[in-house]
């Protein structure tokens, strides 16, 4: 097919406004008669709380302090509605929002925040997902910290391992990662002439924000309008609500524009992180280098809220084999609550963590078999028509062999550079 | 002592929400007064290039210059829901919705033009560069601007919707077709490990990424470079230093991310294999570009020093500890 536009490297249509600084981000927007707001956040990871705002309300310049009492439906969240708009009874992580101080200036908001009395009744927390899975662990929500268990079963791993010439067994772990997008969260809200609440933010999914605002504030969805400005990076961190409901609530109640700006430290506190995972792997191959079986247990730390944990740990399970044909597979992946910062969507979404295990397993097997890392991959990769561990037939669009060929073509050149470098450095060290 | 190693990493990545979850994108296309065409769509530009790539898909289908498209995606009161800018789904899912909406729009334009041009059917009619005409007798033509003036009160517009096919997995066995399509990639790196300091330096890399069809090759390379840098940071630097739920490294003086000084000139190779269900064959690549780099680095570290690091990140402290532990176990 002859194409005119698709396939051409035209210059980004939004590049001029961005490189010249003309592009507007929420922080750049000011409205007349505008109020400022600050979010009071939990200082403890696990505690029962009660809040007294009476003194803070009297601070000069403080207009109103919003808490859980002001919210119609105090629950939100992308998969499970397990976040509070404002925590009123219990906090589950450091950084949980407790109150929203609205004032005539940022200074008034800060003074107001300092005057809020939060009585914390600290309770035992749990910070290790493996500990959190035990029956007698402190519970973050409800009766169990296990949010989700994905089971993947194909063939018979026990029998298959008996036929393996080589087996690799190892436990791997990954850590929490911050998205570090360029533009920290900021937003502003106002009420339109027709009574519509307008929230100006940088979000990944404006229609979902609208739904969450409408539900929590008990208003019609068409009475909420999200204006999505330029974004400044997201990588998954702008999927969960941060300030949107707070802003809408404040403008709706006060009928004035309200603005919030997070600094970098508050940005770290406010949004999700990448799931840490503990990944216990056992992989076996026959003497010819074909993988026969893989068994894995993957435990993902969801932190204090579910966010996308169910989908993330399912995706980790589905991608746990790597892009290889494995006839016998047994995988159990779990999403677990702890009192750590909450984890959610992040570029790669559960499929980023597992290859750190699966790909090292491949190299260990190759070494045991005395073949190269490329050879073991050549033997086992998905090709057109291959079947995945979930039984899915890959009918088309599987050019992994071509990807592998491209790097294989350069392997010798890389090895040469490796040898050259090692000799040179050794000479230097003498 | 400095030692070099070569490592490879491969990955696959499933697009979309997956697991049978309704994955719907909507788009609307409308003729404007000046003859330009507005595309209304809930696709967020988070920096990935959605606005550009989807304008290209629209321009291709409408057979016009991309500059004649007005892309409206900022306001929920104007645009339909196209799902989230996540799951590497916008180019594939919303790109499909835009293509369908634009195809429907072309038909609407032909119908509108047919009446004005007094043709007895739309058969043989074509649209190009903001004009509708009869291919075998191109004198019979009308511009979009003229059409807009004629159809003032009856605006020419069309809608498009795309739902991705995925299958919910069996609860007991996990069997099913959870994602569609998948993208694939392969990465090889050369690293240099300083065994006295535990520092790992990247020297060279080649990175091949399946894209289906590259809508905008420069933007694809941008994603590949960005994905590489993010993975480099994840694998070697970034550490929140959590202590009982507290992030001790909560600012950039402590939470270290790679800079231009840490990044290398990656040889990006774009592999095209058009996907039949995708708009012009294009698959999403936003997320997969961040996946194979880390495993390649880990395997390269082992190749260099014979020590396997099983816990991320591979900070100098952690690598030195791993080296010492392996020396101890060798003595035993």
């Amino acid at each position: 097919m002859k194409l005119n536009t698709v396939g051409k490297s035209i210059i980004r249509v939004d590049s001029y406004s961005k490189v010249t600084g003309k592009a507007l981000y929420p922080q750049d927007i000011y409205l007349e008669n505008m109020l400022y707001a600050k979010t009071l956040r939990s200082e403890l990871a696990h505690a029962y709380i009660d809040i007294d705002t009476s003194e803070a309300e009297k601070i000069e310049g403080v207009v109103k302090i919003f808490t859980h009492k002001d919210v119609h439906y105090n629950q939100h969240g992308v998969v499970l509605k397990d976040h509070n708009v404002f925590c009123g009874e219990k906090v589950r992580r450091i950084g949980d929002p407790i109150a929203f101080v609205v004032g005539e200036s940022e200074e008034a908001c800060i003074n107001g925040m300092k005057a809020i009395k939060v009585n914390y009744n600290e309770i035992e927390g749990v910070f290790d997902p493996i500990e959190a899975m035990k029956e007698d662990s402190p519970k973050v929500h409800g009766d169990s910290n296990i949010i989700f268990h994905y089971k993947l079963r194909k063939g018979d791993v026990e029998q298959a391992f008996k036929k393996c010439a080589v087996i690799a067994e190892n436990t791997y772990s990954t850590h929490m990662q911050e998205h570090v997008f360029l533009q920290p969260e900021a937003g502003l809200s106002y009420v339109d002439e027709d009574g519509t609440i307008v929230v100006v933010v940088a979000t990944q999914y404006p229609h979902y924000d609208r739904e969450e605002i409408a539900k929590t504030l008990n208003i019609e969805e068409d009475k909420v309008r999200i204006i999505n400005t330029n974004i400044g990076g997201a990588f998954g961190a702008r999927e969960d609500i941060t300030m949107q409901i707070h802003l809408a609530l404040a403008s709706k109640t006060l009928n004035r524009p309200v603005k919030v700006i997070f600094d970098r430290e508050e940005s770290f506190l406010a949004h999700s992180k990448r799931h840490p995972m503990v990944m216990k792997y056992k992989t076996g191959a026959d003497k010819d280098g074909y993988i026969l079986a893989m068994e894995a247990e993957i435990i993902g730390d969801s932190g204090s809220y579910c966010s996308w944990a169910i989908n993330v740990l399912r995706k980790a399970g589905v991608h746990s084999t790597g892009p290889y044909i494995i006839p016998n597979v047994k995988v159990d992946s779990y999403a677990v609550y702890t009192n750590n910062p909450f984890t959610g969507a992040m570029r790669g979404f559960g499929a980023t963590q597992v290859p750190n295990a699966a790909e090292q397993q491949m190299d260990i097997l190759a070494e045991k078999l005395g073949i190269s890392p490329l050879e073991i991959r050549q033997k086992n990769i998905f090709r057109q028509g291959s079947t995945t561990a979930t039984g899915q037939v890959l009918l088309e669009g599987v050019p992994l062999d071509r990807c592998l060929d491209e790097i294989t073509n350069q392997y010798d050149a890389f090895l040469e550079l490796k040898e050259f470098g090692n000799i040179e450095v050794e000479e230097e060290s003498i | 002592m400095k030692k070099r190693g070569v490592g490879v990493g491969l990955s696959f990545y499933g697009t979309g929400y997956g697991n049978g979850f309704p994955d719907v994108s909507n788009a609307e296309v409308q003729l404007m007064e000046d003859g330009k065409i507005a595309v209304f769509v809930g696709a967020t530009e988070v920096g990935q290039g959605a606005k550009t790539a989807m304008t290209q898909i629209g321009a291709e289908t409408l057979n016009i210059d991309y500059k004649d498209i007005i892309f409206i995606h900022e306001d929920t009161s104007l645009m339909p829901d196209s799902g989230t800018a996540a799951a590497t789904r916008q180019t594939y899912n919303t790109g499909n919705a835009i293509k369908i909406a634009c195809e429907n729009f072309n038909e609407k334009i032909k119908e509108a033009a047919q009446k004005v041009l007094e043709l007895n059917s739309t058969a043989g009619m074509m649209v190009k560069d903001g004009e509708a005409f009869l291919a075998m007798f191109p004198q019979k033509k009308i511009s979009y601007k003229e059409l807009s003036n004629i159809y003032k009160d009856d605006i020419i517009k069309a809608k498009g919707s795309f739902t991705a096919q995925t299958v919910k997995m069996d609860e007991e066995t996990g069997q099913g077709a959870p994602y569609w399509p998948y993208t694939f990639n392969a990465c090889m790196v050369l690293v240099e490990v300083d065994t006295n300091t535990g520092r790992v330096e990247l020297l060279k890399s080649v990175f091949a990424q399946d894209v289906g069809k590259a809508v905008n090759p420069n933007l694809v390379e941008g994603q590949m470079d960005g994905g590489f840098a993010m993975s480099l940071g994840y694998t070697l630097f970034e550490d929140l230093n959590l202590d009982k739920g507290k992030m001790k490294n909560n600012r950039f003086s402590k939470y270290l991310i790679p800079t231009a000084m840490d990044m290398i000139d990656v040889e990006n190779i774009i592999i095209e294999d058009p996907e039949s269900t995708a708009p012009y064959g294009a698959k999403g690549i936003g997320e997969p570009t961040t996946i194979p780099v880390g495993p390649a680095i880990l395997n390269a570290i082992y190749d260099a020093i014979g020590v396997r690091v099983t816990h991320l990140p591979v900070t100098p402290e952690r690598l030195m500890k791993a080296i010492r532990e392996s020396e101890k176990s060798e003595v035993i």
Side-chain angles (χ1 to χ4, degrees), chain A residues 44-109:
Chain A
L44 297 183
H46 209 193
Y48 288 104
I49 56 166
D50 63 356
I51 313 144
D52 179 2
T53 60
S54 54
E55 288 303 312
E57 305 261 10
K58 294 176 198 158
I59 300 273
E60 197 188 337
V62 169
V63 175
K64 185 163 172 64
I65 298 170
F66 293 91
T67 66
H68 66 104
K69 290 174 193 155
D70 301 294
V71 189
H72 172 79
Y73 175 63
N74 195 24
Q75 303 290 128
H76 71 91
V78 288
V79 175
L80 304 180
K81 303 290 174 197
D82 61 356
H83 286 264
N84 291 138
V85 177
F86 297 112
C87 297
E89 187 196 350
K90 183 173 154 175
V91 292
R92 296 176 171 88
R93 65 167 180 126
I94 293 168
D96 259 343
I98 295 172
F100 197 59
V101 184
V102 183
E104 298 287 349
S105 66
E106 285 194 302
E107 196 190 357
C109 297

Side-chain angles (χ1 to χ4, degrees), chain A residues 5 173 228 315 360 367 396, chain B residues 14 60 74 276 302 308 311:
Chain A
T5 312
S173 70
N228 209 2
K315 197 153 198 170
Q360 294 209 75
E367 191 180 14
E396 61 159 318
Chain B
E60 190 66 56
E74 294 92 355
S276 67
Y302 178 81
R308 205 155 271 293
H311 303 276

Side-chain angles (χ1 to χ4, degrees), chain A residues 9 19 62 73 91 94 122 129 132 144 157 163 206 312 323 355 360 424:
Chain A
S9 290
V19 297
V62 169
Y73 175 63
V91 292
I94 293 168
E122 193 170 6
S144 169
V157 284
K163 293 176 192 155
V312 169
Q360 294 209 75
E424 193 181 50

Side-chain angles (χ1 to χ4, degrees), chain B residues 263-315:
Chain B
M263 197 47 194
I264 53 167
D265 192 8
V266 181
E267 186 186 341
N268 293 315
I269 298 171
I270 296 171
I271 303 289
E272 292 195 322
D273 182 8
E275 158 70 36
S276 67
T277 64
Y280 301 103
K283 299 180 190 172
I285 51 109
E287 293 176 272
T289 56
T290 200
I291 297 174
V293 184
I297 295 172
L298 296 171
N299 282 331
I301 291 170
Y302 178 81
D303 187 51
I305 61 172
V307 175
R308 205 155 271 293
V309 190
T310 52
H311 303 276
L312 290 186
V314 193
T315 55

Side-chain angles (χ1 to χ4, degrees), chain A residues 361-417:
Chain A
Q361 291 285 97
M362 293 299 280
D363 272 29
I364 294 168
L365 290 176
E367 191 180 14
K368 288 188 175 191
L369 289 160
I371 59 176
S372 84
L374 294 168
E375 197 182 337
I376 193 166
R377 287 172 173 83
Q378 285 287 1
K379 285 176 190 283
N380 292 286
I381 53 166
F382 287 151
R383 295 168 195 270
Q384 191 157 326
S386 295
T387 302
T388 68
T390 70
Q392 184 168 358
V393 185
L394 302 172
L395 295 172
E396 61 159 318
V398 197
L400 180 59
D401 49 351
R402 287 173 58 200
C403 296
L404 183 53
D405 285 348
E406 289 289 348
I407 68 167
T408 304
N409 290 342
Q410 298 201 29
Y411 190 51
D412 288 343
F414 271 63
L415 288 181
E416 256 178 55
L417 281 168

